[in-house]
Amino acid sequence: MDTRRPLRTLALALGTAGLLISGCTSGSSTTSASSPAPAATASPVPAALKTFYAQHLSWRDCGVTGFQCTTMKAPLDYAKPEGGEIELAVSRKKATGPGKRIGSLLVNPGGPGGSAIGYLQGYAAIGYPAQVRARYDMVAIDPRGVARSEPVTCLTGPQMDAYTQVDQTPDDAGEVTALSGAFKKFATGCEQRSGEILPHVSTVETARDMDILRALLGDDRLNYVGASYGTFLGATYAELFPARAGRLVLDGAMDPSLPSVEMNRDQTAGFETAFQSFAGDCVKKADCPLGTTSTSEAANRLKQLFADLDAKPIATGDPRKLGESLATTGVIAAMYDETAWPQLREALAAAEKGDGSGLLSLADSYYEREPNGSYANLMYANAAVNCVDLPPAFTTAKAVTEALPTFEKASPVFGKGFAWASLNCAYWPVRATGTPHRITAEGAAPIVVVGTTRDPATPYKWAKSLAGQLSSGTLLTYQGDGHTAYGRGSDCIDTAINTYLLEGTPPGDGKKCS
C-alpha cells in the first residue's frame, strides 16, 4: 500500500508495489540520443564528498538466490560531511541478457518508508518485464532511516498496537486530548530511540545518496522507476542533478508544489473516488454487504458500521478488538488495489455479523504488523520523512476543527479521520527543512510521469501537475482503478514504459491507456 507524501497512518499513502509484497563489478552504461549533455558537464563532486564517491562496494551473497548485497557510506549531514557517516543497504540482481546491458535501474516502491530492497527482491527483480530485467542490473537502496538502512524506531509492538487503536475521529474534548497525546507519545518515542538520525532523513538527502550510488555503480546517469512517494524522490533527484538524470519513470505521481494541508485534502478526495468505484462494483453483486441499490446507500452503511464499531468494538480472534480506527484502516488498505475488493467484501460481511478478523487482517497488512506482534519500521520512517520534508498541515486541534468541513466535503466517508490524522506532525521534535515548490528540472532528459485516473493515494491531478512542472515531463495516463499503473495488467502502459526504458523513447505526451 502504499503517502503526503501522503502519510500512511490513517495516514495516507505508500507505493502500492510495497504490498506486492553483497568485489564489485560494473559494466558501462549507454544513453539514448535524446539524453542531455554528458554527465561530465554536470557540476563536479564537491571536494568534501569525494571520499564517498570514491568508495569501493564489496558485493556479497544475500542469501536470496540471484541477488547480491552490499553497504555504502554517506554523510549523516551533507552540510557537514566530515561530521559523521551513515551506512546504507544496497542490493542488486545483475542483468540476465540477452541483449546489451544498458546500465543499472534503481527502483523505489514509495512510502516513504517502504523497503526498496524488499520490493526489489520480492517483486521488481523477478516480476518486471523480462526484457527490462535482461538489459538492466536491477538495483535498490533502502533510504536512510528505512528497513536495513539504520531504521528509525519509535514504539514497541504493544505501544504500536495501542497507537493504531486510538480513536482518530474524536467526538469530544477528551477524545481530542487522547488523540493529541498519542501523536505526542509517538513523536517522543521517535526522538528517544532515533534522535540522531531524525533530522537527516529528508528526501533531498536520500536523493543525494542515490547520486553517490549511481557513481559507485559506474553509471553516468541514473535510470529509475519510482512509485508513489518514490516519484517525489525521483523528481527531487532530477531537480538536484538534471544532467545526471537518465530514464526516469515516476508512477503514481505526487505534486511537490502543494503544502501539506492541500496534499492531505486531495488525498482524502482520492480515497473517496476509489471508494465510490468499489461501491459501484459492490452494489451490482447480490451479496454486497453494503446494499444493492446505490453507492450512496453503500457509503451510508459503511459510515454506520464505523459508528457502531466506535461505540462497541467487536471480537477478532485476537486480543485486539476491531474498533473504528482499525476498521477504517482495513478498508483503506483495500482501496489501493481492486484485486483486494473481494477480500474487502468478505471482511465487511463478517464484521456486520460480529467477526472483525477480516478487517483486522487488512489493517495489519497495511501497518506491516507481524503475527508475533512486531512491526516493520514503515510507519516510523513514514512519519519521520514526511514531518521533515514539509511543515505540518495543522499545528493545533482548533485548526483541524476549522478545516473539518472541507475534508468531509472531500470525503463524507473518510474526511473526518483524514483531517485529524493530519495533525500528527504538529508535535514532531525536528523542524521541517523542506518547503512546497514546483520542480522543473531544467536540462533533464525526458521524464515519464504516470497517473491513474481513480488512484486513491496519489490523485490523478497530481500526475498532471508534475508532468506540467517538469521541463521535460511527459504524461502517461491509465484510465482505471488502483494505485500506480506499471506492471498492473495494462499492456498499453507496460509497452509504453518498456519502450522508454529500453530505447529511451518516451510515449507521446498525453497518451492514454485503459
Side-chain angles (χ1 to χ4, degrees):
M1 299 163 249
D2 187 13
T3 253
R4 167 153 143 198
R5 267 141 316 269
L7 291 177
R8 204 187 157 182
T9 45
L10 212 161
L12 307 161
L14 240 91
T16 185
L19 286 182
L20 297 177
I21 339 196
S22 317
C24 174
T25 59
S26 60
S28 61
S29 62
T30 62
T31 57
S32 71
S34 60
S35 296
T41 66
S43 299
V45 174
L49 298 179
K50 285 185 177 179
T51 56
F52 294 101
Y53 277 83
Q55 67 188 289
H56 176 77
L57 297 182
S58 297
W59 295 95
R60 64 186 183 276
D61 180 74
C62 289
V64 180
T65 302
F67 291 90
Q68 295 176 308
C69 291
T70 191
T71 56
M72 60 166 264
K73 296 183 183 300
L76 176 63
D77 183 352
Y78 275 91
K80 301 176 182 178
E82 72 287 349
E85 299 175 342
I86 186 170
E87 192 168 82
L88 306 173
V90 181
S91 183
R92 74 175 177 187
K93 189 173 189 291
K94 299 189 74 173
T96 59
K100 183 179 180 181
R101 178 183 175 276
I102 295 173
S104 305
L105 181 65
L106 266 67
V107 296
N108 183 283
S115 171
I117 291 178
Y119 174 60
L120 177 81
Q121 295 179 354
Y123 174 68
I126 55 177
Y128 271 29
Q131 60 268 43
V132 172
R133 293 182 283 116
R135 300 187 59 199
Y136 282 100
D137 291 346
M138 301 292 294
V139 181
I141 177 172
D142 273 352
R144 49 179 61 208
V146 174
R148 299 162 178 84
S149 292
E150 302 197 18
V152 172
T153 58
C154 301
L155 302 176
T156 65
Q159 288 174 331
M160 189 64 181
D161 279 348
Y163 178 76
T164 63
Q165 295 177 74
V166 173
D167 188 347
Q168 294 204 40
T169 57
D171 299 314
D172 54 43
E175 291 185 350
V176 170
T177 298
L179 180 58
S180 298
F183 287 146
K184 291 175 184 177
K185 184 175 181 179
F186 186 99
T188 299
C190 296
E191 183 178 29
Q192 291 174 342
R193 293 173 172 86
S194 301
E196 183 180 10
I197 194 176
L198 283 188
H200 303 296
V201 295
S202 70
T203 297
V204 167
E205 289 163 306
T206 293
R208 291 187 180 278
D209 296 339
M210 293 201 307
D211 193 60
I212 294 176
L213 178 58
R214 171 204 58 77
L216 300 182
L217 293 170
D219 292 324
D220 289 338
R221 296 178 181 81
L222 180 82
N223 301 308
Y224 174 84
V225 177
S228 196
Y229 160 80
T231 67
F232 178 60
L233 178 57
T236 299
Y237 181 90
E239 179 181 39
L240 293 170
F241 308 104
R244 297 174 190 159
R247 301 169 189 178
L248 272 56
V249 177
L250 309 181
D251 184 13
M254 293 179 53
D255 182 351
S257 71
L258 297 178
S260 295
V261 65
E262 289 187 36
M263 190 169 286
N264 289 354
R265 191 159 41 222
D266 280 354
Q267 193 175 58
T268 303
F271 276 94
E272 180 68 21
T273 296
F275 172 74
Q276 289 294 322
S277 189
F278 162 75
D281 177 76
C282 185
V283 298
K284 296 175 184 176
K285 296 174 169 54
D287 62 347
C288 178
L290 300 179
T292 58
T293 60
S294 66
T295 58
S296 59
E297 179 195 13
N300 289 335
R301 288 185 60 165
L302 182 59
K303 289 170 64 178
Q304 186 60 55
L305 175 62
F306 288 160
D308 292 344
L309 293 172
D310 188 28
K312 185 178 180 180
I314 59 176
T316 62
D318 183 279
R320 296 168 296 157
K321 289 190 174 183
L322 184 81
E324 180 185 16
S325 291
L326 284 172
T328 303
T329 302
V331 173
I332 288 169
M335 294 297 100
Y336 284 86
D337 188 342
E338 66 272 24
T339 63
W341 290 357
Q343 182 182 357
L344 177 58
R345 291 197 302 271
E346 292 179 6
L348 289 170
E352 289 191 337
K353 297 175 182 176
D355 176 5
S357 59
L359 285 174
L360 180 63
S361 178
L362 283 166
D364 284 350
S365 71
Y366 185 78
Y367 286 125
E368 292 195 357
R369 183 188 190 273
E370 299 296 331
N372 66 4
S374 65
Y375 287 78
N377 95 304
L378 169 68
M379 299 309 305
Y380 312 139
N382 183 269
V385 176
N386 283 336
C387 294
V388 79
D389 269 353
L390 285 179
F394 301 113
T395 57
T396 66
K398 181 175 182 290
V400 178
T401 301
E402 292 173 348
L404 276 175
T406 63
F407 276 75
E408 292 181 307
K409 181 179 179 181
S411 175
V413 177
F414 304 116
K416 185 177 181 180
F418 276 21
W420 283 106
S422 303
L423 185 63
N424 74 327
C425 288
Y427 311 105
W428 204 247
V430 175
R431 187 172 183 175
T433 56
T435 57
H437 64 284
R438 292 173 60 85
I439 292 180
T440 60
E442 294 287 343
I447 298 172
V448 176
V449 179
V450 189
T452 297
T453 54
R454 295 187 294 278
D455 190 316
T458 51
Y460 179 61
K461 62 189 286 188
W462 292 358
K464 292 195 292 184
S465 179
L466 179 60
Q469 293 171 42
L470 291 166
S471 62
S472 60
T474 182
L475 178 64
L476 175 62
T477 298
Y478 175 57
Q479 297 172 309
D481 296 294
H483 183 39
T484 74
Y486 186 43
R488 286 174 44 82
S490 169
D491 288 340
C492 175
I493 290 288
D494 291 355
T495 298
I497 293 176
N498 293 344
T499 299
Y500 170 65
L501 290 175
L502 297 172
E503 301 175 11
T505 304
D509 188 30
K511 180 178 177 63
K512 292 180 171 61
C513 297
S514 59

